[in-house]
Amino acid sequence: MSAFDELMAFQRETEALAQVAGRLGWDQETMMPRGAAEQRGEEVAAMEAMLHGRRTDPKVGDWIAAAKAPNAAGARMVELIRRDFARSAAVPVRLAAEIARVTSVAQGIWAEARAKDDVAHFLPVLTQVVRLSREKGAALVAGGFGGNAYDALLDDYEPGATAASIGAIFDRMRPRLVALREAVLGAAYQPVPLKGTFPREAQLALSRKMAEAFGYDWTRGRLDLAVHPFSSGSGNDVRITTRVSEADPLNCLYSTIHETGHATYEQAVDQAYLLTPIGRGASMGVHESQSRICENQLGRSRAFTAWVFGQMAEAFGDAGAPDAEAFYGAVNRVTPGYIRTESDEVQYNLHIMMRFDLEQRLIAGTLAPADLEAAWNDRFRADFGVAVDRPANGVLQDVHWSVGLFGYFPTYALGNVYAGCLNQAMRADLPGLDAGLAKGDAGAATGWLGEKLRRFGALKPPAETVAAACGFAPTEAPLLDYLDAKFRALYRL
């Protein structure tokens, strides 16, 4: 057996074990009994220690040095294993295991604190998570990754990106987003929100239809409830979650579409890449492009919402709006709300920019966890003109910091940028796309995405993956042009 073959066989086992570890996380957020939190923390730490040991095994270094890849896909696999080997070696196994243990426990504490609006309950463990994340960032910088701790952490989610490069994109986006928000909020015409009560089981049944419309393969997935919706897994076991509010069916339906975008990306990766370093999404930014294009450019389009309107009337007897056009307005209504995941397309990226700035300060040490709530509330009032009414609608709304995902938030906005580019290219190639969407069939869109982007997995770096699909280098302009055209028309400006 060649060095390349030995490396790939070893890596396949590592990838399989990582999937098992991920399943522990899925179980923790969906089905695990509350009393198991401390034990689950130990289990997750043990798994992380084992995985860290495999990723830093000296044999891996020897195989990498001797490996002769047979083709471009093999060369990319070796490149990614080399990168992971070096990054893992930079982080002591003790630290990797401790981060896994603490964040597993912190997730449960965050959920309790969020339910009780009790920031003080969350602060001690958040302080631990921030301290460990800073330590990890410093270790990665010492190992040659990133000019500072935040960049080193960001590189886990969007390889090649830096705070400076993303900050420059945000600086270009903010003026147009703010101008558009002010215009629509000040418009004479304002869409009316949905009214009514929408039973839980009927919402869940309809959310399954939403997933099917976007091509979700139920033989390789399932839908469950979670406090914070997420998608988990890759290849032939990709699971999604949603949440239900009987007063707000759009939360359930569009959370499901969002997570379906993630899941169908993973399900569409070439089966030849299964359990290899390229058998998954190219980055979190590219991943978010798939969830956001399904949720927004496709799922919130006038054509698709007309179909959803009919499905709502069938499921509930009353769709909560008098006609399809009013329903389209309700789905796309711009309001200064608190919650990122419920935000309209115009303001969503402004939510991300706020988090991006705050988490950089946390990692740099210029903002203490104890001062985070006040900093959040001050910034939210400045950016959105509204005072945060309760912690669950403010600093406690997102799970990310509890599980140490510093550097993850900006990939949401980067995903929107990528989605804007993909939408422009896709609609140029598929001029009749809306005809299918009006029938609840997104097959043409998901087929295009599968052929142009999804099947390749992580074969290319993130920006190259998007550029290859679109035919041009990604830029924020298509997203901003799309938002201007859509919302100025909707608000009759």
Side-chain angles (χ1 to χ4, degrees):
M1 184 180 285
S2 69
F4 176 82
D5 289 337
E6 288 187 294
L7 177 63
M8 289 303 111
F10 187 85
Q11 183 66 24
R12 187 176 184 86
E13 290 183 352
T14 302
E15 297 280 346
L17 289 167
Q19 290 296 310
V20 174
R23 214 82 71 238
L24 286 175
W26 168 84
D27 176 76
Q28 180 171 345
E29 294 200 51
T30 57
M31 297 184 177
M32 185 189 80
R34 288 175 57 194
E38 291 290 338
Q39 178 177 320
R40 180 56 51 87
E42 297 300 324
E43 293 166 357
V44 170
M47 286 292 292
E48 180 57 33
M50 179 188 63
L51 285 166
H52 191 277
R54 291 183 65 88
R55 290 168 179 148
T56 58
D57 191 315
K59 295 196 300 289
V60 173
D62 294 339
W63 287 326
I64 290 171
K68 291 182 173 56
N71 50 36
R76 176 64 171 162
M77 292 178 194
V78 174
E79 177 188 349
L80 291 175
I81 295 171
R82 180 183 293 111
R83 178 181 183 276
D84 190 48
F85 179 74
R87 284 182 69 85
S88 296
V91 180
V93 63
R94 166 204 59 78
L95 177 58
E98 182 67 1
I99 289 172
R101 184 191 68 79
V102 170
T103 54
S104 177
V105 173
Q107 186 173 355
I109 295 173
W110 162 79
E112 293 172 356
R114 183 177 182 272
K116 298 175 182 176
D117 278 313
D118 187 354
V119 176
H121 181 57
F122 180 51
L123 276 180
V125 74
L126 175 63
T127 300
Q128 283 184 276
V129 173
V130 170
R131 175 181 58 78
L132 292 169
S133 298
R134 289 172 181 166
E135 189 176 345
K136 177 183 177 181
L140 287 168
V141 170
F145 294 94
N148 59 54
Y150 185 81
D151 281 352
L153 297 173
L154 171 62
D155 199 58
D156 266 338
Y157 311 108
E158 198 65 22
T162 64
S165 66
I166 290 177
I169 294 172
F170 288 174
D171 286 345
R172 295 193 297 269
M173 291 173 67
R174 182 184 291 276
R176 283 185 65 178
L177 291 174
V178 171
L180 180 58
R181 178 181 66 182
E182 296 310 308
V184 299
L185 290 179
Y189 170 75
Q190 293 290 323
V192 177
L194 298 187
K195 295 179 180 179
T197 300
F198 305 88
R200 175 180 182 274
E201 292 307 317
Q203 283 194 47
L204 290 173
L206 186 51
S207 72
R208 291 181 68 88
K209 286 189 177 182
M210 298 297 108
E212 289 162 7
F214 286 91
Y216 189 54
D217 182 353
W218 292 106
T219 69
R220 298 187 288 155
R222 56 180 289 140
L223 173 66
D224 295 276
L225 292 171
V227 174
H228 195 296
F230 67 99
S231 174
S232 174
S234 67
N236 295 326
D237 189 347
V238 190
R239 309 179 186 196
I240 58 175
T241 63
T242 192
R243 60 186 173 198
V244 176
S245 164
E246 293 200 340
D248 181 13
L250 300 180
N251 192 326
C252 176
L253 300 185
Y254 283 91
S255 290
T256 302
I257 294 172
H258 180 99
E259 301 308 335
T260 298
H262 283 302
T264 50
Y265 181 11
E266 292 289 343
Q267 289 181 336
V269 175
D270 193 320
Q271 286 282 301
Y273 301 156
L274 186 68
L275 296 178
T276 74
I278 61 175
R280 63 176 79 98
S283 71
M284 288 315 305
V286 179
H287 237 299
E288 286 301 325
S289 77
Q290 301 306 288
S291 60
R292 299 297 285 178
I293 197 171
C294 288
E295 177 188 356
N296 293 326
Q297 283 93 340
L298 301 173
R300 297 183 192 272
S301 66
R302 179 176 272 105
F304 190 76
T305 57
W307 176 76
V308 177
F309 173 76
Q311 296 298 307
M312 290 278 290
E314 183 178 313
F316 303 110
D318 181 351
D323 54 42
E325 186 63 19
F327 184 79
Y328 171 66
V331 168
N332 290 286
R333 188 166 164 261
V334 177
T335 58
Y338 301 110
I339 306 299
R340 172 187 63 85
T341 57
E342 299 171 11
S343 177
D344 53 81
E345 290 180 81
V346 173
Q347 297 184 98
Y348 184 91
N349 294 301
L350 298 174
H351 285 269
I352 297 303
M353 292 173 191
M354 183 185 86
R355 288 158 174 78
F356 173 64
D357 291 343
L358 291 174
E359 70 177 14
Q360 285 187 79
R361 293 173 59 195
L362 282 170
I363 296 303
T366 58
L367 175 62
D371 299 324
L372 177 60
E373 182 182 17
W376 177 293
N377 292 349
D378 289 345
R379 176 65 183 269
F380 193 86
R381 182 188 282 274
D383 282 10
F384 296 93
V386 177
V388 175
D389 62 344
R390 50 191 286 245
N393 285 337
V395 72
L396 292 179
Q397 70 178 264
D398 293 305
V399 70
H400 302 64
W401 291 335
S402 73
V403 291
L405 298 182
F406 292 97
Y408 192 117
F409 274 124
T411 67
Y412 286 120
L414 194 57
N416 282 331
V417 169
Y418 291 159
C421 298
L422 291 165
N423 182 59
Q424 177 176 291
M426 178 173 61
R427 288 188 175 274
D429 287 350
L430 303 174
L433 177 62
D434 283 338
L437 292 175
K439 299 175 183 177
D441 181 6
T446 55
W448 188 91
L449 291 168
E451 179 64 25
K452 295 284 189 176
L453 185 148
R454 292 177 171 181
R455 66 189 178 99
F456 299 110
L459 183 61
K460 296 178 181 178
E464 289 183 32
T465 296
V466 177
C470 296
F472 57 87
T475 167
E476 68 279 359
L479 172 66
L480 296 174
D481 290 345
Y482 153 80
L483 292 173
D484 267 333
K486 175 177 180 176
F487 286 92
R488 289 186 183 279
L490 174 59
Y491 277 82
R492 304 172 186 176
L493 296 169

